[in-house]
Structures are given as structure tokens and as C-alpha cells.
């Protein structure tokens, strides 16, 4: 058992048999009354986010989570296969665990996988990835970067909004958290 002094960003807590990842925390010491810790927690399985407050010194249960580097190999139909970069063991992660990260996964891409007792909990992607546009409507004469956006399909099959002047075959930088277009790569 640990206390609230051990709460940090990225720590995984076990609450009522479920695993919760600490997204934000704040130690608060008001002028009168006892100190407390305000946290924002994200459920590792469902992705649901909740706010929770603990009295200072309260006992909490911290789960051992091992974050290791993996290389994405391929999708075998049942799940996504990753290779551990240290010992070259392969790990199949179910599609439910991968979730929206599948929209940005390319073969041989480096990712971090959080494991608890050998079970994959979630995948951490880099903040942005470079993807090639495989299909978009052709731009029209006079289209400018500030005029608006149009849908474009990238090589993973995901659809993003890009400026009107971009064409098929252009490499673009995409934010993996929001799916937003960040810029083109020349």
C-alpha cells in the first residue's frame, strides 16, 4: 500500500478492482482544514475519465505497470502483433486494447505498450506521425491554404481533414491524440 504522496502523472491505481491511470494531480493545502490531493483519472480499459479527491496521507493501491518499447509488425486479423525491441518476443494485442491507435499504426513503427502482469493495458503512440495521403479530391485552381479543408484518406485508411491545396501522394504530419493535420512533409 502507498499513500497519496506517491501519486504522480502516469501512475496506475487499482480502485475497486479496476485500473485507473493518473492524468493530472494537484496537492492542495487550504488555509484551514486538512490537505488533500485532487486527481483526474482515466480508466485503462474503457477510457472513461473521472475526477477524484483524496485526503492527504490516505492509503491507495498502486499497480505495477511495465512500459516497454515495441515495434509494430502486422495485423493478423485477431489482433495487432508487436515485437519487443529488447528480447524480440512477439506480443499479440487485441484490437479492443489498441483502439483508435490503429488509425495511426504503420509497420515497423515504434510504440510503448503498458503491461500489467504480462497483459497489455494500452498503447502509447508518439505525439505525431508522418502518413501519406492515398486519396483526396483534386484541388481546384485558386485554392489557398486559408480557404478551408477537404477530407483525405491516409495510408492506414483513416480519414483526416487537410487544406484544399494538398494532393494524393503528399506526406503529412498528423497528431495521434486528435487526428488533426499538423503540416506537410517535403
Amino acid at each position: 500500500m502507498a499513500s497519496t504522496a506517491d501519486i504522480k502523472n502516469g501512475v496506475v491505481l487499482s480502485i475497486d478492482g479496476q485500473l485507473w491511470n493518473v492524468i493530472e494531480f494537484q496537492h492542495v493545502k487550504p488555509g484551514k482544514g486538512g490537505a488533500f490531493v485532487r486527481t483526474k483519472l482515466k480508466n485503462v480499459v474503457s477510457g472513461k475519465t473521472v475526477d477524484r479527491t483524496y485526503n492527504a496521507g490516505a492509503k491507495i493501491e498502486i499497480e505495477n505497470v511495465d512500459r516497454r518499447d515495441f515495434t509494430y509488425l502486422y495485423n493478423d486479423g485477431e489482433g495487432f502483433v508487436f515485437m519487443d525491441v529488447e528480447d524480440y518476443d512477439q506480443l499479440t494485442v487485441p484490437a479492443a486494447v489498441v483502439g483508435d491507435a490503429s488509425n495511426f499504426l504503420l509497420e515497423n513503427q515504434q510504440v510503448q505498450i503498458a503491461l500489467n502482469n504480462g497483459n497489455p493495458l494500452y498503447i502509447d503512440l508518439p505525439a505525431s506521425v508522418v502518413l501519406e495521403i492515398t486519396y483526396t479530391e483534386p484541388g481546384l485552381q485558386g485554392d489557398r491554404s486559408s480557404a478551408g479543408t477537404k477530407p483525405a484518406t491516409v495510408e492506414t485508411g483513416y480519414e483526416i481533414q487537410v487544406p484544399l491545396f494538398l494532393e494524393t501522394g503528399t506526406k503529412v504530419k498528423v497528431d495521434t491524440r486528435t487526428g488533426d493535420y499538423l503540416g506537410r512533409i517535403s
Side-chain angles (χ1 to χ4, degrees):
M1 293 296 265
S3 74
T4 55
D6 299 317
I7 292 179
K8 294 177 178 46
N9 287 346
V11 168
V12 177
L13 306 176
S14 179
I15 303 170
D16 300 330
Q18 293 186 332
L19 297 177
W20 296 83
N21 193 5
V22 176
I23 299 171
E24 295 176 10
F25 74 99
Q26 180 181 21
H27 290 280
V28 179
K29 189 165 183 357
K32 63 180 187 180
F36 59 92
V37 179
R38 191 178 292 135
T39 63
K40 182 179 267 191
L41 305 172
K42 181 177 180 183
N43 189 305
V44 170
V45 177
S46 68
K48 177 181 167 185
T49 304
V50 297
D51 293 326
R52 192 142 184 192
T53 303
Y54 296 96
N55 290 329
K59 297 296 179 199
I60 56 173
E61 191 174 337
I62 293 181
E63 280 292 321
N64 182 22
V65 174
D66 185 23
R67 289 179 178 83
R68 299 192 356 222
D69 291 326
F70 283 81
T71 301
Y72 172 61
L73 297 178
Y74 58 91
N75 183 349
D76 68 359
E78 297 174 18
F80 295 81
V81 180
F82 295 87
M83 178 184 67
D84 192 328
V85 296
E86 291 177 18
D87 57 14
Y88 305 110
D89 284 344
Q90 290 189 2
L91 172 72
T92 301
V93 179
V97 173
V98 174
D100 290 340
S102 64
N103 296 329
F104 308 105
L105 277 177
L106 290 174
E107 290 181 5
N108 299 320
Q109 183 176 0
Q110 298 294 316
V111 298
Q112 261 196 347
I113 299 179
L115 301 166
N116 176 262
N117 300 327
N119 297 324
L121 299 176
Y122 58 88
I123 292 179
D124 277 336
L125 290 172
S128 63
V129 293
V130 176
L131 300 171
E132 185 176 330
I133 296 175
T134 55
Y135 177 75
T136 188
E137 294 291 329
L140 300 173
Q141 181 65 29
D143 285 343
R144 300 288 178 259
S145 61
S146 62
T149 61
K150 63 181 177 179
T153 305
V154 293
E155 57 192 307
T156 59
Y158 187 62
E159 190 172 279
I160 62 171
Q161 292 293 320
V162 299
L164 294 170
F165 64 86
L166 290 181
E167 299 173 356
T168 301
T170 306
K171 289 191 179 288
V172 294
K173 193 174 201 178
V174 180
D175 188 327
T176 58
R177 297 165 298 221
T178 61
D180 291 342
Y181 163 83
L182 296 176
R184 72 177 157 181
I185 306 297
S186 53

